[in-house]
Amino acid sequence: RVHLVETGGGPVQPGVPLTLSCQGSDVLPFRDYNLAWFRQAPGKEREGIACIPSRGGNALYADDLEGRIAISRDNANHLLSLQIDNPNPGDTAMYSCAGVHRIASVCSRAASDYTHFGQGTQVTVSS
């Protein structure tokens, strides 16, 4: 069982870059997991905004966020990160990381493809 804990959320001013982190437990090899970030804004469906495969390959991003967010992983430290540039009030949401044991060079942004989710960290972008 992989435990995922997100940190880095909170109140954020528009335009100030933000980095979220997701710490995975060391129970299982983090490097064998496809990983992703999801977010859910009030009154909206959860959406997968970025994913990164376990074995290289390209990260995938939601079309409307590509170029403004970046997902990265540090397998040695069991850490997944998400950088958000130029955040705006539309980025206000609960952000969660997710993982699935899959050795692959491709990934998916569909929630149904993931077996483990963190509790989430709230990001509120407001001046």
Side-chain angles (χ1 to χ4, degrees):
R1 184 180 179 88
V2 175
H3 298 279
L4 304 169
V5 179
E6 303 91 341
T7 57
V12 180
Q13 291 211 341
V16 178
L18 172 70
T19 299
L20 304 178
S21 298
C22 172
Q23 183 68 54
S25 68
D26 57 1
V27 175
L28 293 174
F30 193 73
R31 67 185 182 91
D32 291 339
Y33 279 72
N34 274 9
L35 302 168
W37 282 98
F38 290 81
R39 73 180 184 182
Q40 186 166 18
K44 294 188 176 181
E45 297 283 323
R46 179 171 57 183
E47 62 171 328
I49 60 174
C51 69
I52 186 166
S54 60
R55 287 292 188 268
N58 294 322
L60 295 180
Y61 296 97
D63 290 344
D64 59 341
L65 295 173
E66 188 161 14
R68 200 163 61 83
I69 65 173
I71 188 172
S72 60
R73 63 189 297 162
D74 176 353
N75 290 333
N77 292 300
H78 291 205
L79 191 64
L80 176 71
S81 298
L82 179 73
Q83 179 170 332
I84 305 173
D85 292 330
N86 197 24
N88 59 67
D91 294 318
T92 294
M94 178 71 77
Y95 287 75
S96 303
C97 60
V100 59
H101 187 264
R102 184 161 296 144
I103 298 174
S105 58
V106 295
C107 63
S108 163
R109 293 188 293 112
S112 58
D113 288 338
Y114 292 84
T115 54
H116 300 86
F117 285 83
Q119 292 294 312
T121 184
Q122 176 68 37
V123 172
T124 302
V125 184
S126 173
S127 56

